[in-house]
Amino acid sequence: MEIQKAVSKTLAAGLVFCCAPLFAAPAATETLCVAHIKPPLRVEVAATPQARQRGLMQRESLASDRGMLFRFDPPARAEQGFYMYRTLIPLDIAFLDESGRILALRTMTPCESRDPRRCRVYRPGTDYAAALEVNAGFFRHHQIAVGDHIRPSERGRCTPE
């Protein structure tokens, strides 16, 4: 019951990524092209509130060519952010506009607290229509920067921008 109260207070504070039931339905998948990278990234799509709440919680690993895409309709406000409650692996997050342009990049570390209110919140500083989570270091390793684009692949293939 205490966790439920904490979650309610945390949600009221503007978080979009928090603690959902462990029995959330699996997400649909898509392939995305990330800027100049040729191999596509296979992502789970978290388009519903339940899928967004579950996110990548309790995952012990994430393949190097995998990620999770969070979509928001209407777009999320700048003060809404993500946090790493019950998330076990460090992640990079790209906040995107409606066209897939990267607005902000953050590296997020797992929250070790049992109290979600003590977890750091990662905000982009601007409204955003989607967010893409991948393994920490992915964007730096591939030299992806603010202003680059993420787009759907064409038949599972990526061509240069």
Coordinates of all heavy atoms in Angstrom, one line a residue, residues 5-51:
K5 N 0.8 4.5 -2.7 CA 0.8 5.9 -2.3 C 1.9 6.7 -2.9 O 1.8 7.8 -3.5 CB 0.8 6.1 -0.8 CG -0.5 5.7 -0.1 CD -0.4 5.8 1.4 CE -1.6 5.3 2.1 NZ -1.5 5.3 3.5
A6 N 3.1 6.1 -2.9 CA 4.3 6.8 -3.4 C 4.2 6.9 -4.9 O 4.5 8.0 -5.5 CB 5.6 6.0 -3.1
V7 N 3.6 5.9 -5.6 CA 3.5 6.0 -7.0 C 2.5 7.1 -7.4 O 2.7 7.8 -8.3 CB 3.0 4.6 -7.6 CG1 2.6 4.7 -9.0 CG2 4.1 3.6 -7.4
S8 N 1.4 7.1 -6.7 CA 0.4 8.2 -6.9 C 1.0 9.6 -6.8 O 0.7 10.4 -7.6 CB -0.8 8.0 -6.0 OG -1.5 6.8 -6.3
K9 N 1.7 9.8 -5.7 CA 2.4 11.1 -5.6 C 3.4 11.4 -6.7 O 3.5 12.5 -7.1 CB 3.0 11.1 -4.2 CG 2.1 11.2 -3.0 CD 2.8 11.3 -1.7 CE 1.8 11.3 -0.6 NZ 2.5 11.3 0.7
T10 N 4.1 10.3 -7.0 CA 5.2 10.5 -8.1 C 4.5 10.8 -9.4 O 5.0 11.7 -10.1 CB 6.0 9.2 -8.2 OG1 6.6 9.0 -6.9 CG2 7.1 9.4 -9.2
L11 N 3.4 10.1 -9.8 CA 2.7 10.4 -11.0 C 2.2 11.8 -11.0 O 2.2 12.5 -12.0 CB 1.6 9.4 -11.2 CG 2.1 8.0 -11.7 CD1 0.9 7.1 -11.7 CD2 2.7 8.1 -13.0
A12 N 1.7 12.3 -9.9 CA 1.2 13.6 -9.8 C 2.3 14.7 -10.0 O 2.0 15.8 -10.5 CB 0.5 13.9 -8.4
A13 N 3.5 14.3 -9.8 CA 4.7 15.2 -10.0 C 5.1 15.3 -11.5 O 6.1 16.0 -11.8 CB 5.8 14.7 -9.1
G14 N 4.5 14.5 -12.3 CA 4.8 14.7 -13.8 C 5.7 13.6 -14.3 O 6.3 13.8 -15.4
L15 N 5.8 12.4 -13.7 CA 6.6 11.4 -14.3 C 5.8 10.6 -15.3 O 4.6 10.4 -15.1 CB 7.1 10.5 -13.2 CG 8.2 11.1 -12.3 CD1 8.4 10.1 -11.1 CD2 9.4 11.4 -13.0
V16 N 6.5 10.1 -16.3 CA 5.8 9.3 -17.3 C 6.3 7.8 -17.3 O 5.7 7.0 -17.9 CB 5.8 9.8 -18.7 CG1 5.1 11.1 -18.8 CG2 7.3 10.0 -19.2
F17 N 7.4 7.6 -16.6 CA 8.0 6.3 -16.5 C 8.0 5.9 -15.1 O 8.8 6.5 -14.3 CB 9.4 6.3 -17.2 CG 10.1 5.0 -17.2 CD1 9.7 4.1 -18.1 CD2 11.2 4.8 -16.4 CE1 10.5 2.9 -18.2 CE2 11.9 3.7 -16.4 CZ 11.5 2.7 -17.3
C18 N 7.3 4.9 -14.7 CA 7.3 4.6 -13.2 C 7.0 3.1 -13.0 O 7.4 2.3 -13.8 CB 6.3 5.4 -12.5 SG 4.6 5.0 -12.8
C19 N 6.4 2.8 -12.0 CA 6.3 1.4 -11.5 C 4.9 0.8 -11.9 O 3.9 1.1 -11.2 CB 6.5 1.3 -10.0 SG 5.6 2.6 -9.2
A20 N 4.9 0.0 -12.9 CA 3.7 -0.6 -13.3 C 3.6 -2.1 -12.9 O 4.6 -2.6 -12.4 CB 3.6 -0.6 -14.8
P21 N 2.5 -2.7 -13.0 CA 2.4 -4.2 -12.7 C 3.4 -5.0 -13.5 O 3.7 -4.6 -14.6 CB 1.0 -4.5 -13.0 CG 0.2 -3.3 -13.2 CD 1.2 -2.2 -13.5
L22 N 3.9 -6.0 -12.9 CA 4.8 -6.9 -13.6 C 4.2 -7.7 -14.7 O 4.9 -8.4 -15.5 CB 5.6 -7.8 -12.6 CG 6.4 -7.0 -11.6 CD1 7.0 -8.0 -10.6 CD2 7.5 -6.2 -12.3
F23 N 2.9 -7.7 -14.8 CA 2.2 -8.6 -15.8 C 1.7 -7.8 -17.0 O 0.8 -8.2 -17.7 CB 1.0 -9.3 -15.2 CG 0.1 -8.4 -14.4 CD1 -0.9 -7.6 -15.1 CD2 0.2 -8.2 -13.0 CE1 -1.7 -6.8 -14.4 CE2 -0.6 -7.3 -12.4 CZ -1.6 -6.6 -13.0
A24 N 2.4 -6.7 -17.3 CA 2.0 -5.8 -18.5 C 2.1 -6.6 -19.8 O 3.0 -7.5 -19.9 CB 2.8 -4.6 -18.6
A25 N 1.2 -6.4 -20.7 CA 1.2 -7.0 -22.0 C 2.5 -6.7 -22.8 O 3.0 -5.6 -22.7 CB 0.0 -6.6 -22.8
P26 N 3.0 -7.6 -23.6 CA 4.2 -7.3 -24.4 C 3.9 -6.2 -25.4 O 2.8 -6.1 -25.9 CB 4.5 -8.7 -25.1 CG 3.3 -9.5 -25.0 CD 2.5 -9.0 -23.8
A27 N 4.9 -5.5 -25.7 CA 4.7 -4.4 -26.7 C 4.9 -4.8 -28.1 O 5.6 -5.8 -28.4 CB 5.8 -3.3 -26.4
A28 N 4.4 -4.1 -29.1 CA 4.6 -4.3 -30.5 C 6.0 -3.9 -30.8 O 6.7 -3.2 -30.1 CB 3.6 -3.5 -31.3
T29 N 6.6 -4.4 -31.9 CA 7.9 -4.1 -32.3 C 8.0 -3.4 -33.6 O 7.1 -3.6 -34.5 CB 8.9 -5.3 -32.3 OG1 8.4 -6.2 -33.3 CG2 8.9 -6.0 -31.0
E30 N 9.0 -2.6 -33.8 CA 9.3 -1.9 -35.1 C 10.8 -1.9 -35.3 O 11.5 -2.1 -34.3 CB 8.8 -0.4 -35.0 CG 7.3 -0.3 -35.0 CD 6.9 1.2 -35.0 OE1 7.7 2.1 -35.2 OE2 5.7 1.5 -34.7
T31 N 11.2 -1.5 -36.5 CA 12.6 -1.3 -36.7 C 12.8 0.2 -37.1 O 12.0 0.8 -37.8 CB 13.2 -2.1 -37.9 OG1 12.4 -2.0 -39.0 CG2 13.2 -3.6 -37.5
L32 N 13.8 0.8 -36.5 CA 14.1 2.2 -36.7 C 15.5 2.4 -37.2 O 16.4 1.7 -36.9 CB 14.0 2.9 -35.3 CG 12.6 3.0 -34.6 CD1 12.8 3.7 -33.3 CD2 11.6 3.6 -35.5
C33 N 15.6 3.5 -37.9 CA 16.9 4.0 -38.4 C 17.4 5.1 -37.5 O 16.6 6.1 -37.3 CB 16.9 4.4 -39.9 SG 16.4 3.0 -41.0
V34 N 18.5 5.0 -37.0 CA 19.1 6.0 -36.1 C 20.2 6.8 -36.8 O 21.3 6.2 -37.0 CB 19.6 5.4 -34.7 CG1 20.1 6.5 -33.8 CG2 18.5 4.6 -34.1
A35 N 19.9 8.0 -37.2 CA 20.8 8.9 -37.9 C 21.5 8.2 -39.0 O 20.9 7.6 -39.9 CB 21.8 9.5 -36.9
H36 N 22.8 8.1 -39.0 CA 23.7 7.5 -40.0 C 24.0 6.0 -39.9 O 24.6 5.5 -40.7 CB 25.0 8.3 -40.1 CG 25.7 8.2 -38.8 ND1 25.5 9.1 -37.8 CD2 26.6 7.4 -38.3 CE1 26.2 8.8 -36.7 NE2 26.9 7.8 -37.0
I37 N 23.5 5.4 -38.8 CA 23.8 4.0 -38.5 C 23.1 3.1 -39.5 O 21.9 3.3 -39.7 CB 23.4 3.6 -37.1 CG1 24.1 4.5 -36.1 CG2 23.7 2.2 -36.8 CD1 23.6 4.3 -34.7
K38 N 23.8 2.2 -40.2 CA 23.2 1.4 -41.2 C 22.3 0.3 -40.6 O 21.2 0.1 -41.1 CB 24.3 0.8 -42.1 CG 24.7 1.8 -43.2 CD 25.3 1.0 -44.3 CE 25.5 2.1 -45.4 NZ 25.8 1.5 -46.7
P39 N 22.8 -0.5 -39.7 CA 21.9 -1.6 -39.2 C 20.7 -1.0 -38.4 O 20.9 -0.1 -37.6 CB 22.7 -2.4 -38.3 CG 24.1 -1.9 -38.3 CD 24.1 -0.6 -39.0
P40 N 19.5 -1.4 -38.7 CA 18.4 -0.8 -38.0 C 18.3 -1.3 -36.5 O 18.9 -2.3 -36.2 CB 17.1 -1.4 -38.7 CG 17.6 -2.6 -39.4 CD 19.1 -2.4 -39.7
L41 N 17.6 -0.5 -35.7 CA 17.4 -0.8 -34.3 C 16.1 -1.4 -34.2 O 15.1 -0.9 -34.6 CB 17.6 0.5 -33.5 CG 17.6 0.4 -32.0 CD1 18.9 -0.2 -31.5 CD2 17.5 1.8 -31.5
R42 N 15.9 -2.6 -33.5 CA 14.6 -3.2 -33.3 C 14.2 -2.7 -31.9 O 14.9 -2.9 -30.9 CB 14.7 -4.7 -33.3 CG 13.3 -5.3 -33.1 CD 13.2 -6.8 -33.3 NE 13.2 -7.3 -34.7 CZ 12.3 -7.1 -35.6 NH1 11.3 -6.2 -35.3 NH2 12.3 -7.7 -36.7
V43 N 13.0 -2.1 -31.9 CA 12.5 -1.6 -30.7 C 11.1 -2.1 -30.3 O 10.3 -2.4 -31.2 CB 12.4 0.0 -30.7 CG1 13.8 0.6 -30.9 CG2 11.4 0.5 -31.8
E44 N 10.8 -2.2 -29.1 CA 9.5 -2.5 -28.6 C 8.8 -1.1 -28.5 O 9.5 -0.1 -28.1 CB 9.5 -3.1 -27.2 CG 10.2 -4.5 -27.2 CD 10.3 -5.0 -25.7 OE1 9.3 -5.0 -25.0 OE2 11.4 -5.5 -25.4
V45 N 7.6 -1.1 -28.8 CA 6.8 0.2 -28.8 C 5.9 0.3 -27.6 O 5.0 -0.6 -27.5 CB 6.0 0.4 -30.1 CG1 5.3 1.7 -30.1 CG2 6.9 0.3 -31.3
A46 N 6.1 1.3 -26.8 CA 5.3 1.5 -25.6 C 4.4 2.6 -25.9 O 4.7 3.8 -25.7 CB 6.2 1.8 -24.4
A47 N 3.2 2.3 -26.5 CA 2.3 3.3 -26.9 C 1.1 3.6 -26.0 O 0.4 4.6 -26.0 CB 1.7 3.0 -28.3
T48 N 0.9 2.6 -25.1 CA -0.2 2.8 -24.1 C 0.4 3.2 -22.8 O 1.5 3.0 -22.5 CB -0.9 1.4 -23.9 OG1 0.0 0.5 -23.3 CG2 -1.4 0.9 -25.2
P49 N -0.5 3.8 -21.9 CA 0.0 4.2 -20.6 C 0.6 3.0 -19.8 O 1.6 3.1 -19.1 CB -1.3 4.7 -19.9 CG -2.1 5.2 -21.0 CD -1.9 4.2 -22.1
Q50 N 0.0 1.8 -19.9 CA 0.5 0.7 -19.2 C 1.8 0.2 -19.7 O 2.7 -0.1 -18.9 CB -0.5 -0.5 -19.3 CG -1.9 -0.3 -18.7 CD -2.8 0.5 -19.6 OE1 -2.5 0.8 -20.8 NE2 -3.9 0.9 -19.1
A51 N 2.0 0.2 -21.0 CA 3.3 -0.2 -21.6 C 4.4 0.9 -21.2 O 5.5 0.5 -20.9 CB 3.2 -0.3 -23.1

